[in-house]
Amino acid sequence: MEKKQTIKGIANSLIEEFSTHLRGEIIQASDPEYQDARKVYNAMIDKHPGMIVRCVDVADVIACVNFGRENNLLVAIRGGGHNGGGLGLCEDGLVIDLSGLKSVRVNLADQTVRVGGGNLWGEVDHATHPFGLAVPAGIISTTGVGGLTLGGGVGHLSRKYGLTIDNLLEADMVLADGSFVAVNKNQNEDLFWAIRGGGGNFGVITSFKFQAHPVSTVIGGPTLWPIEKTEEIMSWYHDFILNAPDDLNGFIATMIIPGPPFPEELHNKMFCGIVWCYTGDPSEFDKLFQEVRDKNPLFEHVGEMPYPSIQTLFDGLMPSGMQWYWRADFFNDINKEARAVHLKYGSSIPTPLSQMHLYPISGAASRVGNEDTPWAYRDAKYTGVIVGVDPDPKNAEKITQWCKDYWEALHPYSSGGAYSNFMMDEGQERVQASYKHNYNRLSEIKKRHDPNNFFRVNQNIKPKA
């Protein structure tokens, strides 16, 4: 009798026949590279796919989609592997790994950038920086382009140039039926609307085309205040950042300084911090920033740097392979009650890398309509994320509980929704809350292009009944 594989009982002969349609490689549990291949950024995720296919071109992706559909397999799409909930993997099914689809091409004529579905943001920054250009992204350069883009993309340039989705001009996609389409404002407009915030629900993106912007050198870095000043600094910050010019971005945090490159006297102490990024005229910065300095930060390390440097500022502190637990919300303000919660939980951070961030959604990011993209919280003032982080699996429960407790205490002061890029597996109600009034339209588009919910290992939008 023919030997069967663990992946849904699919015969070896079928897998061997499948491999003839691929340039990339198939990795199964019996292969020596399997354990490394199934690792993702969050080491708290421990899933065992039946098969991982490392695609090298669009034809490989099409073959994988067709094979998964024809054999009724659970399929996950892996870009950079950064997703907090580990949605780039699945148990027992097929993982379509896009890490071989890498290319970055800068078009100077119209300042656009074509990026492969498997690229990381640091690779994009590396390619665009010599031309004095940047695409708005997040704050960690090892993040995958695909995952961050499809969920929204909040980062250092959000107030100046909007979210990443606001700068997405076009994408190439493989749909659930194996067809290959271009989506933009003139072609497959429904899909173009849906992928700008609707996550990986609608297909596999094999390449993205972005609008880049003139960004070369920025003025940035952190200012820190003792944690006891959290309420005072947050109250001041709320008014300051809302009225600041778009050129100035700053996200506020409760955090511990874990070690170098910060001075030794700061190590293992708790702070309320703000990480700044200024893209404007350097000669205007000191005047603008004087109000910050008037708040007497205990520590300031703000200066000129190439844009890729601010994007990599935290890479060394946050390498792949640590334990992560995420919770998130949107907020309309930082009221007195919320500030008290931040002080309480910011004063009891369980491990040196655990922290809370509030990213402003003012400036350019707020000037897009709530229906222009699925990203339904343009009128919120912040997206907030709480992360429990530690290298030691023994601390997984401790960081998870702190994160949950912080979120539970803060959630009553939120605007009720979740940012999909900062979600774990939190259930359908939270997914719907993240899209509010846009969920119904997304569900209709899902039914049109993926009626059987083939792409369901994600923050899932169910096809309209």
Side-chain angles (χ1 to χ4, degrees), residues 80-144:
H82 233 270
N83 179 269
L87 297 175
L89 295 179
C90 59
E91 285 290 349
D92 193 46
L94 164 64
V95 172
I96 302 176
D97 185 333
L98 303 178
S99 57
L101 272 72
K102 288 191 177 187
S103 64
V104 185
R105 180 173 176 81
V106 181
N107 185 334
L108 291 179
D110 58 2
Q111 298 191 339
T112 59
V113 188
R114 176 70 74 169
V115 181
N119 277 102
L120 307 181
W121 279 109
E123 295 160 350
V124 179
D125 293 336
H126 174 80
T128 56
H129 183 66
F131 302 106
L133 297 171
V135 177
I139 65 162
I140 300 277
S141 80
T142 57
T143 309

Side-chain angles (χ1 to χ4, degrees), residues 165-431:
I165 53 174
D166 302 331
N167 296 278
L168 178 62
L169 301 175
E170 185 172 281
D172 289 335
M173 295 178 68
V174 178
L175 304 184
D177 63 1
S179 61
F180 178 73
V181 297
V183 302
N184 53 48
K185 67 180 181 179
N186 299 315
Q187 298 171 274
N188 300 293
E189 299 97 319
D190 59 340
L191 283 169
F192 184 54
W193 181 83
I195 64 170
R196 286 177 294 158
N201 275 282
F202 304 95
V204 186
I205 313 288
T206 57
S207 77
F208 299 83
K209 183 181 179 182
F210 297 103
Q211 183 65 58
H213 299 277
V215 179
S216 182
T217 299
V218 300
I219 299 176
T223 49
L224 302 174
W225 291 265
I227 197 69
E228 295 80 13
K229 290 200 163 196
T230 295
E231 291 169 294
E232 175 195 338
I233 296 303
M234 284 188 168
S235 178
W236 159 80
Y237 163 84
H238 176 68
D239 292 328
F240 177 76
I241 200 69
L242 282 178
N243 293 296
D246 292 358
D247 280 313
L248 184 66
N249 194 86
F251 70 85
I252 193 163
T254 55
M255 59 195 293
I256 293 177
I257 296 301
F262 290 90
E264 192 173 346
E265 63 269 19
L266 303 180
H267 293 182
N268 298 309
K269 293 179 180 173
M270 298 177 190
F271 294 94
C272 175
I274 304 174
V275 180
W276 304 97
C277 179
Y278 174 72
T279 56
D281 182 348
S283 68
E284 300 288 322
F285 178 75
D286 283 337
K287 180 181 176 184
L288 172 63
F289 207 66
Q290 188 57 48
E291 188 176 334
V292 182
R293 292 176 173 139
D294 288 345
K295 299 303 292 182
N296 298 313
L298 184 69
F299 175 79
E300 178 194 327
H301 191 73
V302 176
E304 284 198 28
M305 64 180 84
Y307 175 71
S309 295
I310 200 162
Q311 286 293 90
T312 57
L313 213 54
F314 305 106
D315 286 10
L317 296 174
M318 303 290 189
S320 183
M322 291 198 287
Q323 306 286 307
W324 283 79
Y325 189 84
W326 309 60
R327 294 305 295 269
D329 267 321
F330 287 103
F331 299 90
N332 293 329
D333 56 25
I334 319 174
N335 62 26
K336 183 180 178 182
E337 293 79 9
R339 296 195 297 269
V341 172
H342 287 302
L343 175 61
K344 177 181 177 180
Y345 288 93
S347 301
S348 60
I349 299 173
T351 61
L353 293 169
S354 298
Q355 52 201 271
M356 182 286 307
H357 295 174
L358 287 172
Y359 300 95
I361 312 172
S362 47
S366 68
R367 292 194 283 269
V368 176
N370 274 339
E371 290 82 34
D372 292 349
T373 68
W375 217 81
Y377 285 86
R378 301 292 184 157
D379 49 353
K381 296 297 182 281
Y382 308 96
T383 180
V385 62
I386 304 159
V387 289
V389 190
D390 196 72
D392 191 346
K394 291 176 183 173
N395 289 326
E397 180 55 37
K398 180 166 71 171
I399 61 176
T400 298
Q401 197 58 53
W402 171 81
C403 189
K404 287 180 175 177
D405 290 346
Y406 198 154
W407 184 87
E408 291 283 354
L410 200 57
H411 184 61
Y413 312 111
S414 76
S415 47
Y419 171 31
S420 62
N421 279 358
F422 290 155
M423 284 172 66
M424 304 292 280
D425 183 3
E426 298 173 27
Q428 194 64 22
E429 189 178 326
R430 285 284 283 165
V431 174

Side-chain angles (χ1 to χ4, degrees), residues 26-35:
I26 297 174
I27 301 169
Q28 295 176 265
S30 56
D31 294 324
E33 60 266 55
Y34 177 78
Q35 295 302 331

Side-chain angles (χ1 to χ4, degrees), residues 37-48:
R38 72 181 186 88
K39 288 179 181 175
V40 287
Y41 186 76
N42 183 2
M44 208 180 277
I45 305 301
D46 186 27
K47 295 181 182 178
H48 296 77

